[in-house]
Every structure is written in structure tokens, then in C-alpha cells.
Amino acid sequence: MQIPPSNPADAGHPGRPGDLVYVRRARWRIVGVRAYEGCQVVTLCGMTSPHLGIERRVLTPFETIVPLERARRLRVVRGVRWRRAVRALITADTPPGSLRAARAAGIDLMGHQLEPALAIVRGMGSRLLLADEVGLGKTIQAGLVASELFERRSIDRILVVTPAGLREQWTQELAGRFALPATNVDGHLLRRLAATLPMGVNPWSTLSAAIASVDYVKRPEVLPAVTACTWDLVIVDEAHGVAGDSDRRAAVQALASRAAYLLLLTATPHSGDRRSFSALCDLGAVDETPLLVFRRTRADVGIGTRRRVHAVRVRPSADEMRMHRLLARYSDAVRAEPGGEARRDGWLALSVLHKRALSSAWSLVQSVERRLVALSRSPDASGGAQLALPLGDPHGELVSADEPPSWPAELSLSDPERERQLLTALAACARTASTGKVGETKLAALGKLLRRANQSAVVFTEYRDTLLHVRQHLARSGVTPVVLHGGLTREERSAALAGFSPAPRAVLLATDAAAEGLNLHGGGCRLVINLELPWNPMRLEQRIGRVDRIGQQRTVHAFHLIAEGTGETRILSRLRARIAVARADIGAPDPLGDEDERTMARLVIAGDLNDDDNAGGPARGSRG
């Protein structure tokens, strides 16, 4: 090794990428040089222990950098060392348009996952919509883009905006796969940072890579501080959730319109509503910046995991049918009110009430009884409306989307006594349907399906209180399910997921708000059951996608429990129409399927879920 001079004439001059230098009594290789007015940021990679392979940044002319001459004499080395050196040279050779960061990724990348990063480095676009089918690694592709831009010194700061339940997953993926340490931001962290910073310094400005919940960022007391910072790359996960006209969209638009690079991630960009799809594509648009869309299917990338979808027709009991008739009678009375047929808000309010009935008779009882309590109060009494401020969630950890809906203000009769009579009869009937001898037929069908399948399953329902009701029902039959809903803290959510994945024949009860974007196929789970149909068909696709992902080795089965002879059959028809629109526009998947019902009946009654497994033979934990 050359001994550096004590007073080198050229000390402080950084040199070029690839040059060997002597800094702070150690040997380094220059990785990159970025010039600013009056100074240069030099990125170094350690060549000797204890800095071997570690990158550091120094600032010139404030740091002494001494160039080292390379050995001019040829050296004879062993073949193993020579081949290693050749491989390193080939790997490090990155001509224009190629990727530098992919070689260091801690994952075996698939060909389609390289394409978005290649498009960006080749200048094809700076606004990308990654809309691959569920389970094809959109998080990996976004991480590779971020890593590549950091490697090229094209960006200094990134912000990931995601549902609250996915923050930990993003932190682990960026750090574990791409060595990008990111900070999970919440109210607690910001207050701790603010306490250590000088007065007036924005805590967000101290973070080079931040991950935050979209519902936290949108808060009026949080958003100004976030938008006051410059974010070079903004990544919006589950971007379909910000496509509508809402404060979520306004917050994301404010961030995206100022970023140099924007990545929108969603497996379900089109729900059959063309206006919503157009609004999603317009996010972050500035001066007609084009949107580059990547939409790949499993067939496109050569992944052959099979999926079978089954519509399970459940025949309601006599008490349940009477409950639906009484609910229809109350609906007719509301529509008969002056202007009732013309009030759009009234129709929406009634549809929410019907959704509660289709969720479970018990759920309907809860909603109706809350209304009866309100009717019993004096007209001047406070309705007890919940404050909009997130007083119970200072850290931005919780999600309120799966909370039971409050009684809509549009849902009332001008004659309170008549309304009380109709609702009292409805509540009594719903209570009988829930607790009577026959019980709720959907819950009975769910229990039977779980027993027949005898394997791990994820059960979805829309409302948090329904989920807890289902847990109590299954517990009485000897099943102890794990629950995942928006009211859990980060630690509680992590504990629930840790308890589900490794357990054989485990049951996870989840809401959309809590399970969106998660990987739940660990431990061999490949069964999804939907207790009721959502309004948005792509929610079904999102639910199935929790287990239908890269790495799934077995045929995935999805069961939709549909109450026959009720409004749920009309919802099914409407969902099929919306799916047809989405399929025509972008080739969206069909989460309803076209499974032959006789085959479905055999699967439910005989429990035969193993006839088409990729692995062959009886499935693990099944009754062969």
C-alpha cells in the first residue's frame, strides 16, 4: 500500500468514482461525487476492516481526501480470487440504462420486477402506476426503484404513504431487501424528535426515508408540516384508497404534485367506476406529465398458481326472512316520507342499514337499538355524536373504516312513535334470528365449512363488531380465532399476525381496513371466506390476494357466503356488472369466478379441497 504524504498537495480533491483514496486513516473507494455550491458530497465504500463494504459520506473541502496510486505491477493470484474479481467487475459495470442496485438486493428478483426501475433510469417516465395483479411483488418493485434512485444520487428523501397496518411491513422490506433504513413516523416519534431539535425546526425535515399512515398524514394538524418538506420520491401504497373525492386524496395530491418521482401501487386500480379510475390516474399530474402504467398478470410472468372461487348460497331461516321483511317495511316507510324517493342521501342511508342485516342479524340489532335509545331521548338532548378529531389515536396507529356505522341523520320518520314501533318489532325479530334455536345461518355455514376444510383460513367481514360477534360464535364451538381489525395498536397487530402464520388449522378473522396489503399465505394458508359481499368488487380481489401471492404452492380457494332470497343476490348481480366494466377497460381479474355450483356444493359438503392441488395428494391438515 502507498504511504500517504503528510502534507499532500492534492489533499481535499475528491477524485472520480472508482478511485482509491485514504480518509481518516483507512482505505476507501469513491462510489459517487455530488457537487454543490462551495462543497462536494463524496460517497465512499470501505476497503479494509472494520469499514469493509460500509458506505460513508464526507464533505469536501472540509474533509481531507488523499488519492492512492493503484499498483502498476501485475500480481499472480489463485484462480478463485481471479474469478471473484472478474465477477465483481462485470457486476459493477453498469452502462447507461442498466441497474446498479439490483445486484445487492436481498431477494431473487423476477424479470417483471426490474421493468419499472429500468423505465425510470431510461427516462421513460417519472409518474408510475404499478397495477400488477395481487401478489406479484409491487412492494419489491417500489423498493428497487427507491434503491436505484438513491444509488444514482438522483434523490435524497422519500416518503411512503400507506395504510396503517402496512407500515411495519414496509419498514422490514426496505431494510431487509434493499438496506434502506426507513423511519416509521407517528405522533410519538415526532414529539420525541421535536424535543431534541432547535425551536422552529420541522421534525419531518430530519428524515431521509419516512413511512407514514395515510390517515395520519391527512390530519389537518399534521399535513402542513409534511408538505413543507421536499420529498424527491413519494410512494403511495394501496393507491385505490385515495382515488375518491376525500381528504385522503387531497393530502396525497398535495404531496405527489411536488415530488420529482411518484409511484402509485395498487392491484385493484379499477372497481368498475370509470370516474374513480380516471381520478387515480390524475394523481400528481403536473404540466401533463404522462403516467406510465405497469399491469401484469400471473400468466404474463409465468406464475401458474390456480384459484377457484365458489359462491355458497345460504338459505336464511324463517326468522331471518321475517327480519328482512320488517326491514323492507321500515325502508318503505322512509321512502314514503315527503321527498323520500328523491333523496339520494336517504337511499344511501338505507343501503347501509341493509348491509348491516346482511352482515349478521346481531349487527342489525346493535344499530337498531342505538336508534331506539336516541328516540327515547328528549329532542333537546345531545345525540352524542363522536368528535371528528382523533382524540383516542394520538400516534396515528388505528383505522376507523371498519367501525360500525352511526345511524344516518337522513334515516328517520316524521312520526317518532310510528318509527319506534317499526324499529322495536325489527329489533325483536333480529334478536330472535340471532339467538334463537336455529341461530344465524351464515355463521352455521361458516362453522361447517371450517370443519370440513380442516385447515388454516382467513375469514373476512366488513364491520369490527360483526368480527367480534363471529369470534364469540366460533369460540363456543371450540375454535379460537385470531382477530385483526382497525382498532388494534401496532404491537397488537404484530402479535395477531405472529400467532396466525405458524399455527396449523388456524383461523384469522379480519376486516378490510386491517388486512389490506398483508402477506397471509405463510404457513400454507390458501383458504379465504367472505361472510358478506362488499359493494366494491375489487375488495374481493384484495381479500383473495392475501393468500394468492408469489410463493403460494397450492390451489387457492375463495368462498363467498350469499344469503339467498335477499338483497345480497342483487348485490351479486351489480358486482358482476362492475367487474365486466373493469375487465373491458384494463383486463381486471374476476374475484367472483364462474365456478359450477354443483362442484361448489360437493366442496362444501364433502370437504374435498384437494382434487386440484399443485402439490398433489391430500392437502396438509385436510381430510383426505
Side-chain angles (χ1 to χ4, degrees):
M1 183 181 78
Q2 299 287 338
I3 305 299
S6 57
N7 295 300
D10 54 354
H13 296 277
R16 297 176 299 176
D19 289 351
L20 297 180
V21 295
Y22 189 79
V23 179
R24 298 184 185 181
R25 293 176 293 183
R27 294 182 65 192
W28 305 80
R29 178 173 56 85
I30 296 179
V31 176
V33 179
R34 193 165 187 179
Y36 294 89
E37 184 177 355
C39 66
Q40 292 177 310
V41 175
V42 183
T43 304
L44 306 172
C45 181
M47 301 295 292
T48 57
S49 180
H51 312 291
L52 184 63
I54 298 175
E55 286 196 0
R56 292 285 186 267
R57 292 185 183 183
V58 297
L59 194 64
T60 64
F62 309 102
E63 188 76 46
T64 301
I65 299 180
V66 181
L68 295 175
E69 294 184 6
R70 295 180 181 271
R72 300 178 184 276
R73 187 177 57 188
L74 295 178
R75 288 184 297 165
V76 178
V77 297
R78 292 185 177 183
V80 173
R81 185 171 184 178
W82 181 84
R83 285 191 293 271
R84 186 183 302 123
V86 171
R87 284 197 298 268
L89 286 173
I90 294 174
T91 303
D93 183 24
T94 53
S98 61
L99 300 180
R100 302 175 184 175
R103 69 178 185 269
I107 188 174
D108 292 331
L109 293 166
M110 303 178 69
H112 75 279
Q113 295 172 337
L114 303 175
E115 293 173 355
L118 286 170
I120 284 183
V121 301
R122 293 174 181 177
M124 298 173 63
S126 59
R127 293 174 60 242
L128 273 64
L129 171 60
L130 304 185
D132 293 340
E133 283 189 352
V134 289
L136 293 186
K138 288 180 290 297
T139 304
I140 297 297
Q141 296 174 61
L144 180 59
V145 168
S147 180
E148 184 67 27
L149 291 175
F150 268 120
E151 176 75 15
R152 293 171 175 270
R153 310 296 181 254
S154 298
I155 63 173
D156 292 316
R157 307 179 72 238
I158 68 170
L159 173 65
V160 180
V161 182
T162 180
L166 297 180
R167 290 175 300 170
E168 289 294 332
Q169 184 169 300
W170 268 98
T171 304
Q172 295 167 5
E173 291 284 355
L174 291 180
R177 307 293 191 191
F178 302 101
L180 289 179
T183 304
N184 202 327
V185 182
D186 56 20
H188 177 72
L189 173 75
L190 292 176
R191 282 192 293 273
R192 193 177 68 207
L193 286 176
T196 63
L197 295 172
M199 184 70 69
V201 176
N202 186 349
W204 289 90
S205 66
T206 66
L207 305 172
S208 60
I211 301 173
S213 159
V214 62
D215 288 320
Y216 183 68
V217 167
K218 75 177 185 181
R219 292 182 179 179
E221 74 275 17
V222 175
L223 184 60
V226 187
T227 54
C229 301
T230 299
W231 302 102
D232 303 310
L233 169 63
V234 172
I235 301 174
V236 184
D237 196 13
E238 304 299 342
H240 55 271
V242 301
D245 186 11
S246 65
D247 49 359
R248 280 183 175 183
R249 174 182 172 78
V252 170
Q253 176 64 20
L255 294 165
S257 61
R258 302 178 59 190
Y261 298 93
L262 172 66
L263 295 184
L264 303 172
L265 279 60
T266 173
T268 53
H270 202 317
S271 65
D273 184 343
R274 289 187 171 123
R275 288 179 300 178
S276 178
F277 176 62
S278 177
L280 173 64
C281 294
D282 288 340
L283 273 172
V286 178
D287 298 329
E288 299 184 359
T289 306
L291 178 68
L292 195 60
V293 180
F294 288 87
R295 175 74 179 174
R296 282 77 58 94
T297 66
R298 283 174 173 74
D300 294 334
V301 302
I303 297 178
T305 302
R306 294 189 58 189
R307 176 194 295 187
R308 301 187 65 178
V309 182
H310 319 281
V312 181
R313 308 270 180 172
V314 179
R315 181 177 298 175
S317 67
D319 289 330
E320 287 173 327
M321 291 304 297
R322 183 167 176 265
M323 174 191 71
H324 286 291
R325 288 194 296 270
L326 290 176
L327 179 56
R329 183 184 301 175
Y330 176 75
S331 301
D332 292 340
V334 172
R335 291 199 299 268
E337 290 286 306
E341 285 289 347
R343 286 189 306 170
R344 181 176 180 272
D345 291 343
W347 280 96
L348 290 175
L350 282 172
S351 65
V352 171
L353 198 58
H354 282 266
K355 283 181 68 178
R356 293 286 282 169
L358 294 171
S359 180
S360 75
W362 182 89
S363 298
L364 180 62
V365 171
Q366 308 311 304
S367 292
V368 173
E369 286 186 343
R370 282 195 293 269
R371 175 59 178 170
L372 288 172
V373 170
L375 286 173
S376 65
R377 297 194 186 103
S378 63
D380 295 333
S382 172
Q386 183 177 358
L387 292 176
L389 291 175
L391 300 178
D393 182 24
H395 305 319
E397 292 186 339
L398 310 183
V399 180
S400 61
D402 57 2
E403 289 182 349
S406 58
W407 191 273
E410 302 84 3
L411 214 57
S412 62
L413 300 181
S414 56
D415 183 354
E417 183 57 34
R418 186 182 178 220
E419 183 176 8
R420 186 179 294 106
Q421 292 175 357
L422 290 173
L423 292 180
T424 299
L426 176 58
C429 184
R431 194 177 299 106
T432 301
S434 177
T435 61
K437 183 177 181 180
V438 176
E440 298 185 43
T441 52
K442 273 194 178 182
L443 295 186
L446 172 63
K448 182 177 181 180
L449 181 55
L450 291 174
R451 290 192 300 271
R452 294 290 188 182
N454 195 31
Q455 58 185 279
S456 296
V458 184
V459 180
F460 278 98
T461 186
E462 186 161 356
Y463 300 112
R464 190 184 306 175
D465 59 347
T466 304
L467 179 145
L468 299 177
H469 172 60
V470 175
R471 179 178 67 175
Q472 293 180 349
H473 173 83
L474 293 177
R476 288 194 292 269
S477 60
V479 178
T480 306
V482 178
V483 298
L484 195 64
H485 57 72
L488 302 180
T489 64
R490 185 190 313 172
E491 292 76 14
E492 291 170 334
R493 192 180 295 116
S494 298
L497 293 173
F500 170 70
S501 296
R505 294 180 293 280
V507 176
L508 174 66
L509 301 180
T511 61
D512 298 292
E516 190 174 36
L518 292 178
N519 303 320
L520 300 177
H521 64 296
C525 181
R526 48 76 177 261
L527 178 61
V528 173
I529 304 172
N530 295 300
L531 192 65
E532 75 276 278
L533 292 177
W535 285 346
N536 188 332
M538 293 301 104
R539 278 198 181 182
L540 292 176
E541 180 63 22
Q542 286 283 345
R543 292 175 178 183
I544 301 171
R546 298 314 100 223
V547 300
D548 193 359
R549 313 184 70 77
I550 291 178
Q552 177 63 261
Q553 301 297 319
R554 307 162 73 194
T555 300
V556 171
H557 289 269
F559 290 85
H560 309 317
L561 305 185
I562 301 170
E564 203 163 19
T566 69
E568 201 158 29
T569 56
R570 293 188 294 274
I571 293 177
L572 180 62
S573 299
R574 177 58 179 164
L575 289 177
R576 291 195 184 280
R578 293 184 64 177
I579 289 170
V581 174
R583 288 175 68 85
D585 287 354
I586 65 166
D590 183 0
L592 292 173
D594 54 359
E595 184 68 43
D596 179 74
E597 293 199 7
R598 287 177 297 180
T599 303
M600 175 275 299
R602 175 174 60 82
L603 289 166
V604 175
I605 295 172
D608 184 7
L609 299 179
N610 313 306
D611 57 321
D612 55 356
D613 280 347
N614 296 332
R620 183 181 62 184
S622 66
R623 298 180 182 180

